[in-house]
Amino acid sequence: MTSIRPRPATITDIARQAGVSTATVSYVLNDAPAGARIPEETRARVRAIADELGYVPHANARSLRTGSRDLVLYVHFDVVHGPLATGFLYEFTRALRDLGYTLMQYGAERHRGVKAARSWAALRPAAVIAGDDRLTPAGVALLLKAGIRVFGMGSDPAAAKGTGLSTLVMDHRAIGLAAGRDLLERGYRDLAVVVPVDPPLRVMGEGRLEGVREAAAEVGASVRVHEMAYSPGSAAGIVAAWGEEGLPEGVFGYDDEFAGLLLGALLDAGVDVPGRVGLMGADDVMLCRMLRPTLSSVRVESESPEEIARRVVESITEGTEVHLSPWSPVPVRRQT
């Protein structure tokens, strides 16, 4: 037998059961000044019935009525978030809530441009935070015309200035630069860098590769590049290739998880790490301290989520562009 899902309670349902008008219910539930003359007994009855029916006010209806929006829409990248991103989002969500805004994490559907912008605008957010792979000039223009501020994650701040698009970016080139310089300071001159093959990660990986190449150019070191999938088999394939062409001296593994896969493949192949090959990841998650040998990494330190939230709200309330790059890389060396 198919069950019928009950519809949400409305103020009409409350008014009918309480024996009052819908206007009275609205005045009571919204603590409107016009309801000051309503007897306390009636107020208590309306509130009790609303609780009994499980009434929840409709967010969009409230936005239309008050003319305000308190929703910030964060559009997920089409990848699994690691501990660093998850921790930041938790603190950022709490900081926004303290400022009167709610962060909604939106599922990773593959729409982009105008089609995506229309689906986001239908939720009537105050702002949208999305990767630059989802944004197009036409889509951004549609959102801005709807009064919705837009933050591009990964968008070029210099190119965005004056367009109305705000930016919230992590400088992946700086992460690669920090990793490359640390490997070079250990005396390595033959470096290898892996770039993830998955499209959302590939762009970030190419930015990190650019930073390693910049560091290598400063001392005349060489850099090999290998595409890598997030799998032990792919890591083993790269190590096998190194067995044929010669092992690199130092390896930057994009992040801690990719570097961990490479560490396992190197050890399986009988390669001494770090005696023969130095290895470095990025993010400095707990995995770095769990592995044996422990893994050097680039810790990515953030400005306080409270300050970032404040700047986002500043853009919303003042209608201004805000360009933020609040993350800075710090090498953490555990392998010598």
Side-chain angles (χ1 to χ4, degrees):
M1 181 176 177
T2 303
S3 60
I4 300 175
R5 185 176 63 182
R7 65 173 177 80
T10 67
I11 62 171
T12 301
D13 298 324
I14 300 169
R16 184 181 300 114
Q17 190 163 325
V20 298
S21 68
T22 55
T24 296
V25 174
S26 180
Y27 292 151
V28 171
L29 297 183
N30 292 295
D31 291 321
R37 296 187 298 275
I38 298 173
E40 184 55 39
E41 180 184 350
T42 302
R43 292 169 178 273
R45 185 167 74 254
V46 167
R47 293 193 182 103
I49 292 171
D51 290 342
E52 178 186 334
L53 297 178
Y55 172 75
V56 178
H58 194 287
N60 282 357
R62 184 172 66 249
S63 295
L64 287 169
R65 182 179 64 252
T66 63
S68 65
R69 299 170 176 175
D70 59 7
L71 183 69
V72 175
L73 193 67
Y74 169 69
V75 182
H76 268 274
F77 285 93
D78 198 11
V79 295
V80 176
H81 279 42
L84 181 70
T86 301
F88 171 77
L89 282 172
Y90 173 79
E91 297 295 337
F92 183 54
T93 298
R94 188 165 61 177
L96 280 174
R97 186 173 62 243
D98 290 343
L99 295 172
Y101 289 81
T102 298
L103 185 74
M104 174 185 285
Q105 298 187 42
Y106 194 78
E109 61 183 24
R110 297 180 182 274
H111 298 328
R112 68 185 299 271
V114 171
K115 185 175 182 180
R118 284 178 177 149
S119 66
W120 303 336
L123 298 172
R124 297 184 60 79
V128 169
I129 302 172
D132 58 349
D133 59 325
R134 302 293 179 86
L135 300 172
T136 63
V140 171
L142 186 152
L143 291 167
L144 293 175
K145 287 178 183 177
I148 300 168
R149 304 306 304 170
V150 187
F151 286 80
M153 295 192 70
S155 300
D156 180 1
K161 284 182 179 178
T163 67
L165 174 67
S166 295
T167 56
L168 179 60
V169 300
M170 180 180 289
D171 188 346
H172 293 283
R173 183 201 60 82
I175 292 172
L177 184 64
R181 284 176 174 168
D182 189 80
L183 290 168
L184 293 165
E185 285 173 5
R186 291 189 243 170
Y188 304 137
R189 290 298 180 269
D190 179 13
L191 305 183
V193 176
V194 299
V195 176
V197 296
D198 293 335
L201 297 180
R202 185 181 187 88
V203 174
M204 294 182 274
E206 288 174 345
R208 297 180 184 193
L209 169 61
E210 179 186 347
V212 175
R213 280 177 165 160
E214 182 178 333
E218 294 171 350
V219 297
S222 63
V223 179
R224 314 182 200 178
V225 183
H226 302 272
E227 293 187 346
M228 179 174 162
Y230 183 59
S231 72
S234 184
I238 291 173
V239 172
W242 288 339
E244 296 178 2
E245 65 187 42
L247 289 167
E249 296 172 348
V251 178
F252 177 46
Y254 170 70
D255 73 358
D256 297 331
E257 294 189 0
F258 278 76
L261 289 170
L262 286 170
L263 175 60
L266 285 164
L267 295 178
D268 287 345
V271 178
D272 180 12
V273 180
R276 177 61 184 84
V277 174
L279 184 60
M280 193 156 200
D283 294 347
D284 194 31
V285 300
M286 183 58 69
L287 174 70
C288 297
R289 291 172 284 282
M290 295 168 62
L291 294 172
R292 291 295 180 273
T294 54
L295 184 65
S296 296
S297 186
V298 178
R299 178 186 301 138
V300 183
E301 297 182 345
S302 169
E303 289 181 19
S304 73
E306 291 78 12
E307 175 61 16
I308 300 170
R310 187 191 67 77
R311 295 295 306 280
V312 169
V313 171
E314 173 188 310
S315 175
I316 292 170
T317 57
E318 299 182 12
T320 56
E321 288 182 18
V322 174
H323 299 284
L324 304 173
S325 183
W327 293 279
S328 55
V330 180
V332 180
R333 187 182 300 177
R334 298 189 179 88
Q335 295 180 6
T336 56

